[in-house]
Amino acid sequence: MKILFVATRKNVDPRERELYEMDLMNEILGFRRSLLDLGLLTVAGCTPERFEVAIRDEYLAPIDFDEPCDLVALSAKTSCVKRAYQVAEEFRRRGRKVVLGGIHASLRPDEALEHVDHVVTGEAEEIWPRFLDDFEAGKAERRYDSPGFPDMAGIPFPRYAGLDPKEFLFHQLQTTRGCPFRCRFCSVPDISGQSFRFKPVEQVCAEIKALPRRGKLVERMKALYMVDDNFISRTRYTRELLEALVPLRRAGEVPDWSAETTLNVATDEPMLDLFREAGCTTLIIGFESVSEQTLKSMDKGINFCLTFQEATERIHRRGISIVGNFIVGFDTDPLSVFRDTRDFIFANNILYPFFSILAPMPGTALHEEFKAEGRLDTYDWSLYDTRHVIFEPRQMTREELMDGYVWLYEQCYTSELALANLGRFWARPERPGASWIERQFVRWKVGRSRSISARNREFFRRGMALAEAPGKKGDMAQLLYYLDSGHFADFLERYKSPHYAAHAARFEAGGVSPAAGRMQWEDRRLTRAGA
């Protein structure tokens, strides 16, 4: 039997784009995608050897709906499920059987079964072989629910056979699962449980060694993304893992890598040193909001005894940059949230801010609350992508929320302030800058691209001049990320309201509204939410 694993487009409209797809950076560096769904690759790795496995990616080539197979396997999160349903229905019209897994099917299995033949809910590694046994015997049930949360020691390596690693910008790896917190806007505990689980350290090291490689030049441009929801969920395990990665890094087997953590990582300076020695170059931190009131209203736990300035400085002192995740549109957010967020980012030299519009995802307490209040505008899941306004905000209009989201990207990636933020990071002494050869290579590649607007081409020109200025240690990957984010800001132009200029003036006038309450950076000590 042949199983066709298909990675579908994230967006129904192929002209749409998402920031983390990094379309422009991929074009410039010669990659075709940032990464492929690790969950799909892992389930493919769980497939018994007696089955023939083929993996197809809609981003790399159009789907051949007539490709011979016995079963089509799909996976999708909420914002991507509409396209997955379309693909499933097209295969079914040709007589193919389709099974769907992933976050959305796990939260809405009855809905999913309206579009596919079979659904697998929860973490599929243990239940998947049982489903395949039943399918092969012709007695597969419609729905298979994972009986629990599998031991990570039993999870096989992702299956990369048939994939060309040179197509993807990032390698991927997962070391932990689960989260004990119950933030009202997050569904992770419902999918992966409230207890942390860990992949054995020796298994992680073996998986890194087994990553598919494709030439020194390609690997020099690629990075490793640790996809854990919280890489420091248990510091004892994290420390053991980092200590094991250090010699691999020194041997050249561990590329530059990034991981998601809380800002609590800064409380343990010896562990921060290990992060640096193990090759970590970027930490992805969920600030979510600059308002303590907002974090408490979302049950976002905080257990922190440093100021934000002290914490970010400790991270930066190791030459590690920060991706800061921020959400706007909470009921506690006044119009001043946009300027407050921007000012917080620049005050703390956060190099890579990532913004999302609040999306009350199915499976979360927030979704049920908004549904009960009649505040949801739509159940078109493709709009639940954190860059559409899908509900009625409390303290601003829908237009103001959308414009504020666009304004933040323009401010943080295309403005004079953005250039100055980049320059401040490059003035730090901790990391070496790019070589002359690297700078010339990037200048040549950018010069060949026809996808860059005049605004962003000028930003790049000034960024290169800044990178080569005395006292600056310009990083070409960082400059390219800014260029890619500026390209995303260009894409967002289509979402601006007719009143964007007036709204932008109000955002800039900003100031802290009394409704905003205490700002995170004003606190000497932050305590657990609700304390």
PDB file of all heavy atoms in Angstrom, residues 378-410:
ATOM      1  N   THR A 378     -16.923  35.692  12.334  1.00  0.00           N
ATOM      2  CA  THR A 378     -16.898  34.660  11.298  1.00  0.00           C
ATOM      3  C   THR A 378     -16.406  33.346  11.871  1.00  0.00           C
ATOM      4  O   THR A 378     -15.713  33.309  12.887  1.00  0.00           O
ATOM      5  CB  THR A 378     -15.954  35.091  10.150  1.00  0.00           C
ATOM      6  OG1 THR A 378     -15.930  34.076   9.152  1.00  0.00           O
ATOM      7  CG2 THR A 378     -14.539  35.317  10.659  1.00  0.00           C
ATOM      8  N   TYR A 379     -16.798  32.264  11.188  1.00  0.00           N
ATOM      9  CA  TYR A 379     -16.228  30.949  11.461  1.00  0.00           C
ATOM     10  C   TYR A 379     -15.488  30.437  10.225  1.00  0.00           C
ATOM     11  O   TYR A 379     -15.311  29.230  10.052  1.00  0.00           O
ATOM     12  CB  TYR A 379     -17.323  29.966  11.883  1.00  0.00           C
ATOM     13  CG  TYR A 379     -17.902  30.314  13.242  1.00  0.00           C
ATOM     14  CD1 TYR A 379     -19.104  31.010  13.347  1.00  0.00           C
ATOM     15  CD2 TYR A 379     -17.241  29.972  14.415  1.00  0.00           C
ATOM     16  CE1 TYR A 379     -19.634  31.350  14.580  1.00  0.00           C
ATOM     17  CE2 TYR A 379     -17.750  30.311  15.660  1.00  0.00           C
ATOM     18  CZ  TYR A 379     -18.948  30.999  15.730  1.00  0.00           C
ATOM     19  OH  TYR A 379     -19.461  31.341  16.964  1.00  0.00           O
ATOM     20  N   ASP A 380     -15.073  31.355   9.388  1.00  0.00           N
ATOM     21  CA  ASP A 380     -14.196  31.021   8.268  1.00  0.00           C
ATOM     22  C   ASP A 380     -12.791  30.853   8.854  1.00  0.00           C
ATOM     23  O   ASP A 380     -12.097  31.831   9.160  1.00  0.00           O
ATOM     24  CB  ASP A 380     -14.220  32.148   7.228  1.00  0.00           C
ATOM     25  CG  ASP A 380     -13.302  31.877   6.036  1.00  0.00           C
ATOM     26  OD1 ASP A 380     -12.468  30.951   6.116  1.00  0.00           O
ATOM     27  OD2 ASP A 380     -13.417  32.604   5.030  1.00  0.00           O
ATOM     28  N   TRP A 381     -12.381  29.597   9.045  1.00  0.00           N
ATOM     29  CA  TRP A 381     -11.148  29.335   9.777  1.00  0.00           C
ATOM     30  C   TRP A 381      -9.920  29.921   9.091  1.00  0.00           C
ATOM     31  O   TRP A 381      -8.900  30.173   9.746  1.00  0.00           O
ATOM     32  CB  TRP A 381     -10.964  27.831   9.964  1.00  0.00           C
ATOM     33  CG  TRP A 381     -12.085  27.148  10.695  1.00  0.00           C
ATOM     34  CD1 TRP A 381     -12.787  26.065  10.269  1.00  0.00           C
ATOM     35  CD2 TRP A 381     -12.630  27.486  11.987  1.00  0.00           C
ATOM     36  NE1 TRP A 381     -13.735  25.703  11.199  1.00  0.00           N
ATOM     37  CE2 TRP A 381     -13.667  26.554  12.266  1.00  0.00           C
ATOM     38  CE3 TRP A 381     -12.357  28.475  12.925  1.00  0.00           C
ATOM     39  CZ2 TRP A 381     -14.412  26.586  13.441  1.00  0.00           C
ATOM     40  CZ3 TRP A 381     -13.107  28.516  14.096  1.00  0.00           C
ATOM     41  CH2 TRP A 381     -14.114  27.582  14.346  1.00  0.00           C
ATOM     42  N   SER A 382      -9.987  30.155   7.788  1.00  0.00           N
ATOM     43  CA  SER A 382      -8.817  30.714   7.101  1.00  0.00           C
ATOM     44  C   SER A 382      -8.498  32.122   7.581  1.00  0.00           C
ATOM     45  O   SER A 382      -7.385  32.614   7.372  1.00  0.00           O
ATOM     46  CB  SER A 382      -9.036  30.712   5.586  1.00  0.00           C
ATOM     47  OG  SER A 382     -10.071  31.613   5.216  1.00  0.00           O
ATOM     48  N   LEU A 383      -9.461  32.780   8.212  1.00  0.00           N
ATOM     49  CA  LEU A 383      -9.227  34.132   8.737  1.00  0.00           C
ATOM     50  C   LEU A 383      -8.693  34.115  10.164  1.00  0.00           C
ATOM     51  O   LEU A 383      -8.372  35.163  10.722  1.00  0.00           O
ATOM     52  CB  LEU A 383     -10.529  34.943   8.674  1.00  0.00           C
ATOM     53  CG  LEU A 383     -11.131  35.124   7.271  1.00  0.00           C
ATOM     54  CD1 LEU A 383     -12.422  35.929   7.350  1.00  0.00           C
ATOM     55  CD2 LEU A 383     -10.137  35.798   6.333  1.00  0.00           C
ATOM     56  N   TYR A 384      -8.573  32.920  10.755  1.00  0.00           N
ATOM     57  CA  TYR A 384      -8.035  32.789  12.118  1.00  0.00           C
ATOM     58  C   TYR A 384      -6.512  32.642  12.058  1.00  0.00           C
ATOM     59  O   TYR A 384      -5.929  31.753  12.668  1.00  0.00           O
ATOM     60  CB  TYR A 384      -8.656  31.585  12.813  1.00  0.00           C
ATOM     61  CG  TYR A 384     -10.062  31.812  13.320  1.00  0.00           C
ATOM     62  CD1 TYR A 384     -11.112  32.120  12.462  1.00  0.00           C
ATOM     63  CD2 TYR A 384     -10.359  31.723  14.682  1.00  0.00           C
ATOM     64  CE1 TYR A 384     -12.405  32.328  12.931  1.00  0.00           C
ATOM     65  CE2 TYR A 384     -11.654  31.928  15.169  1.00  0.00           C
ATOM     66  CZ  TYR A 384     -12.663  32.230  14.276  1.00  0.00           C
ATOM     67  OH  TYR A 384     -13.944  32.443  14.756  1.00  0.00           O
ATOM     68  N   ASP A 385      -5.887  33.532  11.313  1.00  0.00           N
ATOM     69  CA  ASP A 385      -4.446  33.432  11.070  1.00  0.00           C
ATOM     70  C   ASP A 385      -3.648  34.499  11.791  1.00  0.00           C
ATOM     71  O   ASP A 385      -2.465  34.693  11.522  1.00  0.00           O
ATOM     72  CB  ASP A 385      -4.167  33.509   9.566  1.00  0.00           C
ATOM     73  CG  ASP A 385      -4.674  34.814   8.938  1.00  0.00           C
ATOM     74  OD1 ASP A 385      -5.246  35.651   9.664  1.00  0.00           O
ATOM     75  OD2 ASP A 385      -4.508  34.970   7.710  1.00  0.00           O
ATOM     76  N   THR A 386      -4.273  35.215  12.702  1.00  0.00           N
ATOM     77  CA  THR A 386      -3.679  36.279  13.534  1.00  0.00           C
ATOM     78  C   THR A 386      -3.278  37.511  12.729  1.00  0.00           C
ATOM     79  O   THR A 386      -2.558  38.365  13.239  1.00  0.00           O
ATOM     80  CB  THR A 386      -2.459  35.788  14.357  1.00  0.00           C
ATOM     81  OG1 THR A 386      -1.328  35.592  13.521  1.00  0.00           O
ATOM     82  CG2 THR A 386      -2.787  34.516  15.131  1.00  0.00           C
ATOM     83  N   ARG A 387      -3.732  37.641  11.496  1.00  0.00           N
ATOM     84  CA  ARG A 387      -3.533  38.895  10.765  1.00  0.00           C
ATOM     85  C   ARG A 387      -4.833  39.386  10.131  1.00  0.00           C
ATOM     86  O   ARG A 387      -4.801  40.196   9.209  1.00  0.00           O
ATOM     87  CB  ARG A 387      -2.414  38.786   9.740  1.00  0.00           C
ATOM     88  CG  ARG A 387      -2.578  37.745   8.674  1.00  0.00           C
ATOM     89  CD  ARG A 387      -1.419  37.816   7.683  1.00  0.00           C
ATOM     90  NE  ARG A 387      -1.479  36.763   6.701  1.00  0.00           N
ATOM     91  CZ  ARG A 387      -2.295  36.755   5.653  1.00  0.00           C
ATOM     92  NH1 ARG A 387      -3.140  37.758   5.465  1.00  0.00           N
ATOM     93  NH2 ARG A 387      -2.291  35.757   4.803  1.00  0.00           N
ATOM     94  N   HIS A 388      -5.962  38.878  10.614  1.00  0.00           N
ATOM     95  CA  HIS A 388      -7.276  39.406  10.278  1.00  0.00           C
ATOM     96  C   HIS A 388      -8.016  39.712  11.581  1.00  0.00           C
ATOM     97  O   HIS A 388      -7.824  39.021  12.584  1.00  0.00           O
ATOM     98  CB  HIS A 388      -8.096  38.400   9.463  1.00  0.00           C
ATOM     99  CG  HIS A 388      -7.623  38.214   8.062  1.00  0.00           C
ATOM    100  ND1 HIS A 388      -6.643  37.309   7.716  1.00  0.00           N
ATOM    101  CD2 HIS A 388      -7.993  38.826   6.902  1.00  0.00           C
ATOM    102  CE1 HIS A 388      -6.430  37.366   6.411  1.00  0.00           C
ATOM    103  NE2 HIS A 388      -7.232  38.274   5.895  1.00  0.00           N
ATOM    104  N   VAL A 389      -8.843  40.717  11.544  1.00  0.00           N
ATOM    105  CA  VAL A 389      -9.683  41.039  12.709  1.00  0.00           C
ATOM    106  C   VAL A 389     -10.966  40.229  12.570  1.00  0.00           C
ATOM    107  O   VAL A 389     -11.724  40.416  11.613  1.00  0.00           O
ATOM    108  CB  VAL A 389      -9.991  42.548  12.778  1.00  0.00           C
ATOM    109  CG1 VAL A 389     -10.894  42.843  13.973  1.00  0.00           C
ATOM    110  CG2 VAL A 389      -8.694  43.353  12.866  1.00  0.00           C
ATOM    111  N   ILE A 390     -11.230  39.342  13.521  1.00  0.00           N
ATOM    112  CA  ILE A 390     -12.368  38.425  13.404  1.00  0.00           C
ATOM    113  C   ILE A 390     -13.360  38.589  14.553  1.00  0.00           C
ATOM    114  O   ILE A 390     -14.230  37.743  14.752  1.00  0.00           O
ATOM    115  CB  ILE A 390     -11.882  36.963  13.345  1.00  0.00           C
ATOM    116  CG1 ILE A 390     -11.023  36.630  14.558  1.00  0.00           C
ATOM    117  CG2 ILE A 390     -11.126  36.701  12.047  1.00  0.00           C
ATOM    118  CD1 ILE A 390     -10.595  35.177  14.634  1.00  0.00           C
ATOM    119  N   PHE A 391     -13.236  39.693  15.297  1.00  0.00           N
ATOM    120  CA  PHE A 391     -14.139  39.918  16.422  1.00  0.00           C
ATOM    121  C   PHE A 391     -14.274  41.420  16.653  1.00  0.00           C
ATOM    122  O   PHE A 391     -13.538  42.228  16.071  1.00  0.00           O
ATOM    123  CB  PHE A 391     -13.606  39.240  17.690  1.00  0.00           C
ATOM    124  CG  PHE A 391     -12.318  39.853  18.198  1.00  0.00           C
ATOM    125  CD1 PHE A 391     -12.325  40.820  19.187  1.00  0.00           C
ATOM    126  CD2 PHE A 391     -11.092  39.469  17.656  1.00  0.00           C
ATOM    127  CE1 PHE A 391     -11.151  41.393  19.639  1.00  0.00           C
ATOM    128  CE2 PHE A 391      -9.905  40.033  18.101  1.00  0.00           C
ATOM    129  CZ  PHE A 391      -9.942  41.000  19.089  1.00  0.00           C
ATOM    130  N   GLU A 392     -15.196  41.772  17.506  1.00  0.00           N
ATOM    131  CA  GLU A 392     -15.404  43.180  17.848  1.00  0.00           C
ATOM    132  C   GLU A 392     -14.531  43.553  19.041  1.00  0.00           C
ATOM    133  O   GLU A 392     -14.747  43.066  20.157  1.00  0.00           O
ATOM    134  CB  GLU A 392     -16.869  43.418  18.195  1.00  0.00           C
ATOM    135  CG  GLU A 392     -17.179  44.852  18.574  1.00  0.00           C
ATOM    136  CD  GLU A 392     -18.630  45.033  19.010  1.00  0.00           C
ATOM    137  OE1 GLU A 392     -19.372  44.035  19.059  1.00  0.00           O
ATOM    138  OE2 GLU A 392     -19.003  46.175  19.318  1.00  0.00           O
ATOM    139  N   PRO A 393     -13.523  44.418  18.862  1.00  0.00           N
ATOM    140  CA  PRO A 393     -12.682  44.827  19.996  1.00  0.00           C
ATOM    141  C   PRO A 393     -13.476  45.687  20.985  1.00  0.00           C
ATOM    142  O   PRO A 393     -14.500  46.271  20.652  1.00  0.00           O
ATOM    143  CB  PRO A 393     -11.566  45.646  19.340  1.00  0.00           C
ATOM    144  CG  PRO A 393     -11.648  45.340  17.877  1.00  0.00           C
ATOM    145  CD  PRO A 393     -13.080  45.021  17.594  1.00  0.00           C
ATOM    146  N   ARG A 394     -12.972  45.788  22.204  1.00  0.00           N
ATOM    147  CA  ARG A 394     -13.649  46.559  23.244  1.00  0.00           C
ATOM    148  C   ARG A 394     -13.316  48.054  23.182  1.00  0.00           C
ATOM    149  O   ARG A 394     -14.182  48.895  23.346  1.00  0.00           O
ATOM    150  CB  ARG A 394     -13.247  46.042  24.625  1.00  0.00           C
ATOM    151  CG  ARG A 394     -13.903  44.733  25.023  1.00  0.00           C
ATOM    152  CD  ARG A 394     -15.306  44.968  25.558  1.00  0.00           C
ATOM    153  NE  ARG A 394     -15.820  43.750  26.172  1.00  0.00           N
ATOM    154  CZ  ARG A 394     -16.965  43.173  25.859  1.00  0.00           C
ATOM    155  NH1 ARG A 394     -17.716  43.681  24.905  1.00  0.00           N
ATOM    156  NH2 ARG A 394     -17.359  42.078  26.477  1.00  0.00           N
ATOM    157  N   GLN A 395     -12.018  48.384  22.981  1.00  0.00           N
ATOM    158  CA  GLN A 395     -11.581  49.768  23.165  1.00  0.00           C
ATOM    159  C   GLN A 395     -11.114  50.436  21.874  1.00  0.00           C
ATOM    160  O   GLN A 395     -10.486  51.495  21.923  1.00  0.00           O
ATOM    161  CB  GLN A 395     -10.452  49.815  24.202  1.00  0.00           C
ATOM    162  CG  GLN A 395     -10.867  49.300  25.575  1.00  0.00           C
ATOM    163  CD  GLN A 395      -9.869  49.703  26.632  1.00  0.00           C
ATOM    164  OE1 GLN A 395      -9.566  50.897  26.803  1.00  0.00           O
ATOM    165  NE2 GLN A 395      -9.352  48.732  27.361  1.00  0.00           N
ATOM    166  N   MET A 396     -11.411  49.827  20.749  1.00  0.00           N
ATOM    167  CA  MET A 396     -11.061  50.430  19.465  1.00  0.00           C
ATOM    168  C   MET A 396     -11.960  49.817  18.408  1.00  0.00           C
ATOM    169  O   MET A 396     -12.651  48.827  18.657  1.00  0.00           O
ATOM    170  CB  MET A 396      -9.582  50.192  19.145  1.00  0.00           C
ATOM    171  CG  MET A 396      -9.207  48.739  18.999  1.00  0.00           C
ATOM    172  SD  MET A 396      -7.413  48.475  18.832  1.00  0.00           S
ATOM    173  CE  MET A 396      -6.852  48.688  20.527  1.00  0.00           C
ATOM    174  N   THR A 397     -11.963  50.403  17.229  1.00  0.00           N
ATOM    175  CA  THR A 397     -12.756  49.845  16.138  1.00  0.00           C
ATOM    176  C   THR A 397     -11.973  48.727  15.457  1.00  0.00           C
ATOM    177  O   THR A 397     -10.759  48.583  15.644  1.00  0.00           O
ATOM    178  CB  THR A 397     -13.093  50.918  15.098  1.00  0.00           C
ATOM    179  OG1 THR A 397     -11.878  51.343  14.450  1.00  0.00           O
ATOM    180  CG2 THR A 397     -13.778  52.128  15.747  1.00  0.00           C
ATOM    181  N   ARG A 398     -12.646  47.956  14.639  1.00  0.00           N
ATOM    182  CA  ARG A 398     -11.967  46.923  13.862  1.00  0.00           C
ATOM    183  C   ARG A 398     -10.909  47.547  12.945  1.00  0.00           C
ATOM    184  O   ARG A 398      -9.812  47.018  12.791  1.00  0.00           O
ATOM    185  CB  ARG A 398     -12.987  46.138  13.025  1.00  0.00           C
ATOM    186  CG  ARG A 398     -13.930  45.248  13.849  1.00  0.00           C
ATOM    187  CD  ARG A 398     -15.010  44.666  12.949  1.00  0.00           C
ATOM    188  NE  ARG A 398     -15.904  43.742  13.640  1.00  0.00           N
ATOM    189  CZ  ARG A 398     -16.939  44.117  14.389  1.00  0.00           C
ATOM    190  NH1 ARG A 398     -17.207  45.416  14.554  1.00  0.00           N
ATOM    191  NH2 ARG A 398     -17.708  43.213  14.984  1.00  0.00           N
ATOM    192  N   GLU A 399     -11.250  48.684  12.328  1.00  0.00           N
ATOM    193  CA  GLU A 399     -10.297  49.365  11.442  1.00  0.00           C
ATOM    194  C   GLU A 399      -9.062  49.810  12.208  1.00  0.00           C
ATOM    195  O   GLU A 399      -7.935  49.692  11.723  1.00  0.00           O
ATOM    196  CB  GLU A 399     -10.956  50.580  10.786  1.00  0.00           C
ATOM    197  CG  GLU A 399     -11.808  50.266   9.576  1.00  0.00           C
ATOM    198  CD  GLU A 399     -12.201  51.528   8.816  1.00  0.00           C
ATOM    199  OE1 GLU A 399     -11.983  52.645   9.359  1.00  0.00           O
ATOM    200  OE2 GLU A 399     -12.712  51.405   7.691  1.00  0.00           O
ATOM    201  N   GLU A 400      -9.254  50.346  13.401  1.00  0.00           N
ATOM    202  CA  GLU A 400      -8.116  50.810  14.192  1.00  0.00           C
ATOM    203  C   GLU A 400      -7.209  49.643  14.577  1.00  0.00           C
ATOM    204  O   GLU A 400      -5.978  49.772  14.553  1.00  0.00           O
ATOM    205  CB  GLU A 400      -8.607  51.546  15.433  1.00  0.00           C
ATOM    206  CG  GLU A 400      -9.193  52.925  15.126  1.00  0.00           C
ATOM    207  CD  GLU A 400      -9.905  53.542  16.315  1.00  0.00           C
ATOM    208  OE1 GLU A 400     -10.374  52.782  17.209  1.00  0.00           O
ATOM    209  OE2 GLU A 400     -10.025  54.789  16.352  1.00  0.00           O
ATOM    210  N   LEU A 401      -7.799  48.513  14.910  1.00  0.00           N
ATOM    211  CA  LEU A 401      -6.985  47.349  15.266  1.00  0.00           C
ATOM    212  C   LEU A 401      -6.168  46.863  14.068  1.00  0.00           C
ATOM    213  O   LEU A 401      -4.975  46.594  14.182  1.00  0.00           O
ATOM    214  CB  LEU A 401      -7.884  46.228  15.796  1.00  0.00           C
ATOM    215  CG  LEU A 401      -7.193  44.901  16.140  1.00  0.00           C
ATOM    216  CD1 LEU A 401      -6.008  45.109  17.081  1.00  0.00           C
ATOM    217  CD2 LEU A 401      -8.205  43.928  16.761  1.00  0.00           C
ATOM    218  N   MET A 402      -6.804  46.792  12.908  1.00  0.00           N
ATOM    219  CA  MET A 402      -6.086  46.349  11.715  1.00  0.00           C
ATOM    220  C   MET A 402      -4.982  47.340  11.354  1.00  0.00           C
ATOM    221  O   MET A 402      -3.837  46.954  11.058  1.00  0.00           O
ATOM    222  CB  MET A 402      -7.060  46.206  10.547  1.00  0.00           C
ATOM    223  CG  MET A 402      -6.468  45.581   9.300  1.00  0.00           C
ATOM    224  SD  MET A 402      -6.149  43.809   9.501  1.00  0.00           S
ATOM    225  CE  MET A 402      -4.401  43.750   9.151  1.00  0.00           C
ATOM    226  N   ASP A 403      -5.287  48.607  11.394  1.00  0.00           N
ATOM    227  CA  ASP A 403      -4.294  49.629  11.048  1.00  0.00           C
ATOM    228  C   ASP A 403      -3.154  49.646  12.059  1.00  0.00           C
ATOM    229  O   ASP A 403      -1.992  49.869  11.696  1.00  0.00           O
ATOM    230  CB  ASP A 403      -4.950  51.006  10.973  1.00  0.00           C
ATOM    231  CG  ASP A 403      -5.756  51.208   9.703  1.00  0.00           C
ATOM    232  OD1 ASP A 403      -5.616  50.385   8.776  1.00  0.00           O
ATOM    233  OD2 ASP A 403      -6.526  52.188   9.627  1.00  0.00           O
ATOM    234  N   GLY A 404      -3.471  49.417  13.329  1.00  0.00           N
ATOM    235  CA  GLY A 404      -2.419  49.380  14.346  1.00  0.00           C
ATOM    236  C   GLY A 404      -1.453  48.232  14.128  1.00  0.00           C
ATOM    237  O   GLY A 404      -0.235  48.367  14.318  1.00  0.00           O
ATOM    238  N   TYR A 405      -1.981  47.103  13.707  1.00  0.00           N
ATOM    239  CA  TYR A 405      -1.149  45.942  13.392  1.00  0.00           C
ATOM    240  C   TYR A 405      -0.203  46.256  12.233  1.00  0.00           C
ATOM    241  O   TYR A 405       1.009  45.997  12.309  1.00  0.00           O
ATOM    242  CB  TYR A 405      -2.092  44.784  13.051  1.00  0.00           C
ATOM    243  CG  TYR A 405      -1.454  43.560  12.452  1.00  0.00           C
ATOM    244  CD1 TYR A 405      -0.693  42.687  13.223  1.00  0.00           C
ATOM    245  CD2 TYR A 405      -1.646  43.254  11.103  1.00  0.00           C
ATOM    246  CE1 TYR A 405      -0.145  41.539  12.669  1.00  0.00           C
ATOM    247  CE2 TYR A 405      -1.099  42.112  10.538  1.00  0.00           C
ATOM    248  CZ  TYR A 405      -0.343  41.257  11.322  1.00  0.00           C
ATOM    249  OH  TYR A 405       0.197  40.126  10.773  1.00  0.00           O
ATOM    250  N   VAL A 406      -0.734  46.863  11.166  1.00  0.00           N
ATOM    251  CA  VAL A 406       0.104  47.232  10.019  1.00  0.00           C
ATOM    252  C   VAL A 406       1.136  48.280  10.437  1.00  0.00           C
ATOM    253  O   VAL A 406       2.314  48.206  10.055  1.00  0.00           O
ATOM    254  CB  VAL A 406      -0.764  47.760   8.864  1.00  0.00           C
ATOM    255  CG1 VAL A 406       0.107  48.214   7.695  1.00  0.00           C
ATOM    256  CG2 VAL A 406      -1.765  46.700   8.402  1.00  0.00           C
ATOM    257  N   TRP A 407       0.709  49.251  11.226  1.00  0.00           N
ATOM    258  CA  TRP A 407       1.589  50.330  11.675  1.00  0.00           C
ATOM    259  C   TRP A 407       2.781  49.774  12.450  1.00  0.00           C
ATOM    260  O   TRP A 407       3.917  50.243  12.278  1.00  0.00           O
ATOM    261  CB  TRP A 407       0.783  51.297  12.539  1.00  0.00           C
ATOM    262  CG  TRP A 407       1.500  52.520  13.004  1.00  0.00           C
ATOM    263  CD1 TRP A 407       1.734  53.663  12.296  1.00  0.00           C
ATOM    264  CD2 TRP A 407       2.063  52.748  14.315  1.00  0.00           C
ATOM    265  NE1 TRP A 407       2.407  54.589  13.077  1.00  0.00           N
ATOM    266  CE2 TRP A 407       2.616  54.047  14.315  1.00  0.00           C
ATOM    267  CE3 TRP A 407       2.136  51.982  15.468  1.00  0.00           C
ATOM    268  CZ2 TRP A 407       3.233  54.596  15.443  1.00  0.00           C
ATOM    269  CZ3 TRP A 407       2.752  52.520  16.593  1.00  0.00           C
ATOM    270  CH2 TRP A 407       3.293  53.813  16.570  1.00  0.00           C
ATOM    271  N   LEU A 408       2.548  48.777  13.277  1.00  0.00           N
ATOM    272  CA  LEU A 408       3.646  48.196  14.051  1.00  0.00           C
ATOM    273  C   LEU A 408       4.695  47.570  13.141  1.00  0.00           C
ATOM    274  O   LEU A 408       5.903  47.730  13.369  1.00  0.00           O
ATOM    275  CB  LEU A 408       3.101  47.156  15.031  1.00  0.00           C
ATOM    276  CG  LEU A 408       2.492  47.713  16.320  1.00  0.00           C
ATOM    277  CD1 LEU A 408       1.767  46.617  17.094  1.00  0.00           C
ATOM    278  CD2 LEU A 408       3.564  48.362  17.195  1.00  0.00           C
ATOM    279  N   TYR A 409       4.269  46.884  12.101  1.00  0.00           N
ATOM    280  CA  TYR A 409       5.250  46.298  11.183  1.00  0.00           C
ATOM    281  C   TYR A 409       6.019  47.384  10.432  1.00  0.00           C
ATOM    282  O   TYR A 409       7.237  47.277  10.228  1.00  0.00           O
ATOM    283  CB  TYR A 409       4.572  45.333  10.208  1.00  0.00           C
ATOM    284  CG  TYR A 409       4.489  43.938  10.768  1.00  0.00           C
ATOM    285  CD1 TYR A 409       3.270  43.402  11.157  1.00  0.00           C
ATOM    286  CD2 TYR A 409       5.642  43.167  10.940  1.00  0.00           C
ATOM    287  CE1 TYR A 409       3.205  42.118  11.703  1.00  0.00           C
ATOM    288  CE2 TYR A 409       5.581  41.897  11.475  1.00  0.00           C
ATOM    289  CZ  TYR A 409       4.363  41.374  11.861  1.00  0.00           C
ATOM    290  OH  TYR A 409       4.293  40.121  12.409  1.00  0.00           O
ATOM    291  N   GLU A 410       5.320  48.433  10.017  1.00  0.00           N
ATOM    292  CA  GLU A 410       6.024  49.514   9.321  1.00  0.00           C
ATOM    293  C   GLU A 410       7.005  50.210  10.258  1.00  0.00           C
ATOM    294  O   GLU A 410       8.149  50.506   9.871  1.00  0.00           O
ATOM    295  CB  GLU A 410       5.011  50.511   8.768  1.00  0.00           C
ATOM    296  CG  GLU A 410       4.210  49.969   7.607  1.00  0.00           C
ATOM    297  CD  GLU A 410       3.395  51.032   6.896  1.00  0.00           C
ATOM    298  OE1 GLU A 410       3.064  52.066   7.534  1.00  0.00           O
ATOM    299  OE2 GLU A 410       3.100  50.860   5.707  1.00  0.00           O
TER     300      GLU A 410
END
